[in-house]
Amino acid sequence: MEINQVVGTLYCTERIEGLRHCSLQILKDRKGNLLVATDPVGVRPGNWVFTVSGSAGRLAMDDPKVMTDLAIGGIIDFWQPKQVAKPDSSSGDEQPTEQRDQAA
């Protein structure tokens, strides 16, 4: 499972039979890459979601005949992405700040 953010809806007038009645959402991963996922839960742009992939993506849909390898599994109610701490170049310590604080 991965955490992604919904950035918009993908509108397609022509689709293969296995995707006829599926809502398709555009997601952004942590690296900024765009992904397309089927949406069985009804998300909105800006929502943080978790996704399931591979055969689990197909099983997340109501109809196992839906041809998807990435589906939204749920909307995350509260989550704040943490910024990755930059290593302290003066000390040579490369642990994130929170790990250094816990180790002290």
Side-chain angles (χ1 to χ4, degrees):
M1 287 188 263
E2 299 283 333
I3 294 176
N4 299 297
Q5 187 172 31
V6 180
V7 295
T9 300
L10 184 65
Y11 297 99
C12 301
T13 55
E14 297 295 325
R15 302 181 193 197
I16 60 173
E17 189 60 39
L19 291 172
R20 283 274 183 239
H21 302 289
C22 296
S23 173
L24 301 174
Q25 298 297 325
I26 303 167
L27 309 178
K28 184 169 59 171
D29 69 11
R30 293 166 59 153
K31 295 179 182 178
N33 298 319
L34 296 179
L35 311 164
V36 175
T38 53
D39 177 15
V41 297
V43 301
R44 297 182 194 176
N47 285 146
W48 287 98
V49 298
F50 69 90
T51 57
V52 291
S53 59
S55 60
R58 188 175 62 252
L59 295 174
M61 301 299 294
D62 289 336
D63 181 357
K65 294 179 186 173
V66 172
M67 297 170 53
T68 185
D69 65 350
L70 186 64
I72 295 169
I75 299 170
I76 299 170
D77 294 321
F78 180 78
W79 181 70
Q80 292 180 324
K82 293 182 180 181
Q83 297 295 325
V84 176
K86 293 182 181 175
D88 182 359
S89 59
S90 62
S91 69
D93 184 359
E94 300 209 7
Q95 289 181 316
T97 304
E98 63 187 7
Q99 288 179 355
R100 283 197 309 260
D101 292 344
Q102 290 173 357

